[in-house]
């Protein structure tokens, strides 16, 4: 008699952004005339840059021609892309990462959620709180999170590292020793970063206790301050304790194009098992590579024209971030983030819960954000706004929130 | 202290097609002048059809324009594609499948290997022997296969259903009762099919014992005979016991474009848990959708021009299949398949093992095929040749094999 995976049934409610989507669809259906501004899910609004469009047209034509047609891609991704990534994202920053340590994929979300699969089920995970829900949810589905406590909204086998105003939204080394440490900087949702010296402490700690850091650097392109590391491999010793995830979704607007990559250094081991080999085995057996056309799009991200055009795109979004930050701060809200990240982290006014604030903004002024509680217990009382809207919508949304009677 | 997933370490050797790739690369390196003909991995050689190329160019332009730019895709895939699939692949065949029971993905390999995740780890799987290695390997990685017996090359917790010349390469209902039954027709690697009446027996059996059939119909487009079902939903009662996987790789040459889908009827349950909801949760949490450009390519597969062009492409490959089948049969080889599938299943001559025959063909005549043993113990003594080469290479390969001195 077939049985379902009981771990899936432990998950309370649906995936955060699916829930938000549902609430917004229901509100629109009930209020068809309402002009909703979405600063909730971190989706981009600027079109794909011309240099990338050109590269995709060229690749599409190659696929239509017998001489240049491409079938199955190499397991780890095309060399032209892996070489470009190694050069630009790593060697150019003095990080010693080789092309054959890079695994091209269809996005960081898939990699972040699948990576736990190559580790033992009895490994303990530690996560920042609040944080991108995929880290915990994927471990719940695998059976690594223990049981859910509806009262505290925490999982019995997960080590939470609170990131609150008190510690400047930077996690502290936990009391219990984890085996897998999820770090995400610039952080989603708080927009906070840590310095290279602070990250070095994590690398030293992981090497000391034999833990692996799963480092999500999806928002690296938004770093504007000196002394904030773009890659964990800028730290001494990271090659023996860290896996890094990168995405093209936010630096190049690929949320609908789908491309990302994962870096696993050859020296990185669990006991005497090289993790590079395990991830390669997963790629070979359970994945078939990102489309050739999309891998060519990724290559164009690093072309001279592509870099120029994307610099402008990032600047456009960061100008939105500045507008939200200053506008709401000026209106008396408590805000953080927005300097090295496209996210503004807002304290909910009048002691509203974050879902109460979500409903209030949706119903009163038709602005959609993301409730902090959706990112973990320490997110309660906070709210995330993204800078990925158009400038016009961003300005309108800030004005609406100012006039929401809060 | 971090630990690796011990189940991964149980896997003997690397993924079949990675091993073949490595052997071929090594031979080429040692014999740079050798003109190797690859009829091994089931990769296609014909370029993407013009109607699909046109659709991709259009979609690329949409992505470059602010008014038509697309970000994150809907969790289950775009409605324009899911509606077209429901119409053409199901309703047109009298199968009652709705668009919201279709989950668009980046390929059947990912879906076939990930689907086991929504089931309990103590569920027993049954597989045809020989069969596409991904079914067993993905269950080994999850810890559902038990232990490997190197002597018999079988897993202790897997129920094998031999498909040999004695039973016309059609599986029999197993003695032990499985919870999950993997069926693939037209079959990879044997190219065999079963009739609608035979498939109905499996559906009735699954409903009787409460098992779920995981039906891989990736090669459906190659069916030429009447009375061979294109979808399991042509059978009475399949909606309560079957999940179907489809691919665009073989009917439209998308091996490097990447698109597929999975069908989960709303009534399908494990106990009282609807599997549709579990797979939707997996999609929402661990996947971010196929690229918009690629989903538009998939839509074009069903356009009038697309259908016309792909009919010709399938005919081209099936003409190769006929040439291999008749050529080798005429030369005294024992062959099957090739009528409803792009695969020819060849008995190795002179009692060679399938890997011995692989090495012999590679070294003597530089033709690459796939050793039957790579698909399971009952594949030993057999060899798979694909019809996906060019006509010229196919003719040359058959001539070379004829003259290989066997």
């Amino acid at each position: 008699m077939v049985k379902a995976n009981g771990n899936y049934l432990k998950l309370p409610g649906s995936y955060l952004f699916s829930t938000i989507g549902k609430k917004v669809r229901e509100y629109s259906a009930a209020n068809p005339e309402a002009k909703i501004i979405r600063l909730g899910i971190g989706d981009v609004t600027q079109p794909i840059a011309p240099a990338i469009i050109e590269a995709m047209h060229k690749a599409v034509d190659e696929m239509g021609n017998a001489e240049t047609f491409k079938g199955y891609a190499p397991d780890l991704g095309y060399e032209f892309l892996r070489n470009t990534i190694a050069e630009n994202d790593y060697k150019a920053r003095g990080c010693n990462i080789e092309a054959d340590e890079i695994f091209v994929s269809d996005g960081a979300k898939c990699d972040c959620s699948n990576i736990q699969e190559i580790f033992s089920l009895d490994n303990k995970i530690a996560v920042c709180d609040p944080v991108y829900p995929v880290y915990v949810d994927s471990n719940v589905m695998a059976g690594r999170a223990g049981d859910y406590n509806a009262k505290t909204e925490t999982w019995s086998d997960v080590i939470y590292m609170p990131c609150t105003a008190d510690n400047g939204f930077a996690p502290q080394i936990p009391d219990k020793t984890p085996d897998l440490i999820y770090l995400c900087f610039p952080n989603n949702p708080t927009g906070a970063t840590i310095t290279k010296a602070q990250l070095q402490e994590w690398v030293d700690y992981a090497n000391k206790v034999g833990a692996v850091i799963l480092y999500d650097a999806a928002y690296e392109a938004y770093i504007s301050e000196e002394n904030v590391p773009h890659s964990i491999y800028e730290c001494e010793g990271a090659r023996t304790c860290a896996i890094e995830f990168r995405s093209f979704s936010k630096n190049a607007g690929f949320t609908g194009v789908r491309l990302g990559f994962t870096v696993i250094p050859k020296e990185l081991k669990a006991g005497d098992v090289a993790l590079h080999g395990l991830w390669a085995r997963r790629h070979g057996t359970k994945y078939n590579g990102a489309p050739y056309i999309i891998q060519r799009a990724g290559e164009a991200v690093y072309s001279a024209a592509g870099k120029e055009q994307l610099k402008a795109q990032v600047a456009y979004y960061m100008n939105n971030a500045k507008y939200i930050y200053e506008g709401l701060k000026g209106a008396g809200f408590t805000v953080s983030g927005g300097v090295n990240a496209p996210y503004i982290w807002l304290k909910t006014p009048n002691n509203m819960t974050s879902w109460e604030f979500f409903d209030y903004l949706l119903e009163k002024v038709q602005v959609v954000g993301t409730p902090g509680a959706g990112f973990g217990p320490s997110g309660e009382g906070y709210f995330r706004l993204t800078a990925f809207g158009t400038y016009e919508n961003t300005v309108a949304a800030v004005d609406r929130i100012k006039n929401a009677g809060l």
Side-chain angles (χ1 to χ4, degrees), chain A:
Chain A
M1 194 71 166
V2 69
K3 278 205 313 227
N5 175 349
N7 300 313
Y8 271 61
L9 308 180
K10 291 179 172 183
L11 283 164
S14 67
Y15 178 58
L16 172 62
F17 295 107
S18 312
T19 311
I20 291 171
K22 192 161 169 295
K23 271 176 172 272
V24 175
R25 278 194 303 278
E26 285 167 358
Y27 180 85
S28 312
N31 308 272
E33 75 299 329
K35 298 223 175 325
I36 297 172
I37 300 178
R38 290 172 173 72
L39 300 182
I41 177 166
D43 201 358
V44 296
T45 50
Q46 293 298 295
I48 299 300
I52 299 164
I53 293 294
E54 192 188 329
M56 287 198 282
H57 276 306
K58 185 161 169 296
V60 167
D61 285 331
E62 287 181 72
M63 295 298 281
N65 181 318
E67 283 63 48
T68 52
F69 170 77
K70 303 282 184 302
Y72 288 117
D75 278 357
L76 273 64
Y78 281 99
E79 280 214 344
F80 63 74
L81 178 55
R82 293 188 288 122
N83 289 333
T84 314
I85 291 168
E87 254 343 292
N88 288 273
D89 286 321
Y90 296 103
K91 294 200 165 68
R93 293 195 176 281
C95 303
N96 159 31
I97 294 294
E98 299 301 326
D100 65 358
E101 297 177 313
I102 293 162
F103 296 76
V104 174
S105 78
D106 63 334
K109 183 184 183 185
C110 304
D111 289 350
C112 286
S113 58
N114 289 326
I115 194 72
Q116 48 78 30
E117 193 179 307
I118 65 172
F119 296 99
S120 173
L121 272 184
D122 57 20
N123 276 173
K124 281 256 174 314
I125 70 163
V127 296
C128 294
D129 169 27
V131 82
Y132 182 46
V134 164
Y135 311 145
V136 171
D137 289 359
S138 57
N139 279 283
V140 171
M141 291 162 139
R144 202 180 278 104
D147 299 311
Y148 187 65
N149 179 330
K151 203 147 161 300
T152 60
E153 296 185 337
T154 57
W155 293 89
S156 58
D157 289 347
V158 173
I159 300 168
Y160 293 87
M161 306 183 289
C163 300
T164 61
D166 311 338
N167 56 22
F169 304 102
Q172 254 91 79
I173 304 270
D175 306 334
K176 277 194 236 153
T177 306
D179 306 300
L180 298 169
I181 304 165
Y182 287 87
L183 293 179
C184 173
F185 293 107
N187 182 264
N188 174 12
T190 67
T193 52
I194 59 177
T195 64
K196 189 171 165 183
Q198 287 174 296
L199 184 56
Q200 184 66 58
E201 287 174 25
W202 281 100
V203 169
D204 296 342
Y205 171 73
N207 278 319
K208 194 177 97 229
V209 301
V212 166
I213 296 173
L214 302 168
Y215 194 74
D216 185 348
Y219 298 93
E220 165 275 333
Y222 294 86
I223 295 171
S224 66
E225 294 182 317
E226 287 302 317
N227 193 34
V228 174
H230 290 249
S231 164
I232 194 166
Y233 301 113
E234 292 178 36
C235 296
E236 199 68 43
R239 286 183 58 87
T240 55
C241 71
I243 291 174
E244 181 164 285
F245 306 100
R246 290 285 189 101
S247 169
F248 290 83
S249 290
K250 310 304 162 92
N251 65 328
F254 278 23
T255 54
V257 175
R258 311 305 319 145
L259 194 67
F261 62 89
T262 292
V263 180
I264 307 188
K266 296 268 181 68
E267 296 94 306
L268 183 58
K269 292 187 170 180
D272 55 3
V273 181
L275 295 173
H276 185 282
L278 292 196
W279 191 241
R281 183 64 199 242
R282 191 191 184 282
H283 258 249
T285 305
K286 301 177 74 172
Y287 184 56
N288 243 332
Y292 173 73
I293 295 159
I294 307 302
Q295 294 197 48
R296 282 294 181 193
E299 181 186 39
V301 166
Y302 300 95
S303 67
K307 284 176 177 171
E308 192 67 24
Q309 292 159 8
L310 294 175
K311 219 173 116 199
Q313 207 172 78
V314 166
Y316 175 93
Y317 291 132
M318 288 312 280
N319 182 53
N320 291 349
K322 193 159 178 285
Y323 189 91
I324 300 170
Y325 184 94
E326 290 176 353
L328 295 183
K329 194 161 200 233
F333 288 91
T334 305
V335 291
S336 61
V339 177
N340 297 303
Y343 293 128
I344 280 75
W345 192 236
L346 177 68
K347 181 105 198 58
T348 58
N350 318 328
N351 301 314
M352 280 176 160
T353 68
S354 50
W355 277 110
E356 281 168 0
F357 190 60
F358 174 91
D359 293 331
Y360 186 92
L361 286 188
L362 177 58
E363 285 155 26
K364 274 275 184 344
V365 295
Q366 294 75 52
V367 171
V368 179
T370 313
F375 297 100
S378 297
E380 185 51 273
Y382 285 92
F383 199 72
R384 190 191 79 174
L385 290 169
T386 89
F388 288 126
T390 62
Y391 179 71
E392 298 66 28
N393 279 342
T394 304
V395 169
V398 170
D399 293 347
R400 289 189 191 184
I401 297 171
K402 280 184 185 170
N403 305 323
L406 290 156

